[in-house]
Every structure is written in C-alpha cells, then in structure tokens.
Amino acid sequence: MTDQALDAAFRSAMRRLAATVTVISTRAENGLRHGMTATAVTSVSANPPAVLACVNRSAALHAQLSLGRLLCINLLHCSQQKLSEVFAASADGEARFRIGDWRADEHGVPYLADAQANVFCEIEALHAYGSHSVCIGRVTRATCRDDVAPLIYQDGAYMCTGPLG
C-alpha cells in the first residue's frame, strides 16, 4: 500500500470511530484563556485516575502544554454543537470564550459550567508523536451533569446517542 493510499484508508477508518466531543481549556500564566475542540481524548487509568488527549502541534493550545499545567477537559452535551464549532475555528483564543457559561475554578482554570462533564487534571506526561503531542493528565477532580446526552462526532458529522430498542 502506498503512503497516499494508507493515509486515505486510515482517515476513512477513523471517520468510523465515534467520539465524544470535548473542549480542552486552560489559563496561561499571563491570565489569557486558551481552548480547543478535541475528540482524541480517552481515559488511561482508574488508579490513579488519568486521561489522555492528543493535541496537534499547530494548535494555539499546544504552546500552553507543559508538565504541571492545569487544564480541564469539558465533555460537551448534545446541545453544545455551536460551542464545539467556535472552539474548532481559528478565532482568537479569548474570543472563543464569549459563547457558553464559562467559569474559573480556584486555580483560574476555565471550565464550561453546563458541560456534560468536566475533568480537571494536571499534566504529568507529554510525548511527541508525529504531528501531535500526547498529553497525559492526572485527574484531580471531575463533575457530571445529571442527564447523559453527550455530543458525538462521527463520519464528519455531529450527532447524539440514544439507547437501542
């Protein structure tokens, strides 16, 4: 298989991998908030609780990643598609936070108050791989909304889930 054919086949396969849409958010030392939409997010371990997020090196948020940095992974509710689109666009970092109910925790980390869930963590490992950095965060706190209706991204489209049958 040629490199070009492999690239196309891989992209096609990954479009079939449904994922919860998240917005990763943090606050820089200068006080500015940064955030980006991400679907390459998953749990790593329950003991200790840890999550993994893959961040493209070309993303503005990437420059904020460092060991010890605090961030929040906001799992979006199915009603928050517009917010996902804003954080996926190339708009100015602070301008992105004009949409949604954004608050700050006791450390100044921005979080989406009405997200499906919020996972607060501290970066404990960063690994460069290809065009991305793999960021592993030790979870320090998590909150959940009562209703379970995550925003899902699959095959280039947003959708919501529901029980079978």
Side-chain angles (χ1 to χ4, degrees):
M1 186 175 269
T2 67
D3 287 346
Q4 187 175 9
L6 177 59
D7 182 57
F10 176 71
R11 288 178 186 273
S12 182
M14 290 300 97
R15 288 178 66 96
R16 285 147 177 82
L17 181 64
T20 298
V21 180
T22 71
V23 169
I24 302 171
S25 57
T26 192
R27 182 176 161 267
E29 290 182 19
N30 64 5
L32 292 178
R33 298 174 294 179
H34 296 270
M36 63 169 267
T37 299
T39 55
V41 175
T42 193
S43 64
V44 172
S45 169
N47 187 16
V51 292
L52 174 150
C54 297
V55 178
N56 194 307
R57 289 188 198 157
S58 68
L61 179 78
H62 190 272
Q64 301 304 315
L65 301 180
S66 61
L67 296 180
R69 168 75 65 195
L70 302 175
L71 49 86
C72 183
I73 298 175
N74 303 276
L75 285 73
L76 299 188
H77 186 267
C78 65
S79 64
Q80 295 171 317
Q81 176 180 340
K82 178 66 175 167
L83 189 134
S84 171
E85 293 167 347
V86 167
F87 277 82
S90 59
D92 172 71
E94 244 339 279
R96 294 175 176 184
F97 290 90
R98 291 188 189 125
I99 183 170
D101 185 6
W102 289 97
R103 301 185 188 173
D105 74 358
E106 64 276 11
H107 303 289
V109 176
Y111 69 94
L112 187 60
D114 57 349
Q116 179 70 75
N118 308 98
V119 180
F120 297 86
C121 57
E122 178 179 348
I123 298 174
E124 287 198 331
L126 281 169
H127 303 284
Y129 191 86
S131 58
H132 286 64
S133 286
V134 178
C135 173
I136 298 175
R138 181 183 45 81
V139 176
T140 58
R141 183 167 53 105
T143 63
C144 295
R145 186 169 164 165
D146 287 337
D147 62 320
V148 179
L151 181 63
I152 304 296
Y153 196 73
Q154 178 185 345
D155 198 22
Y158 290 99
M159 54 192 69
C160 290
T161 62
L164 296 174

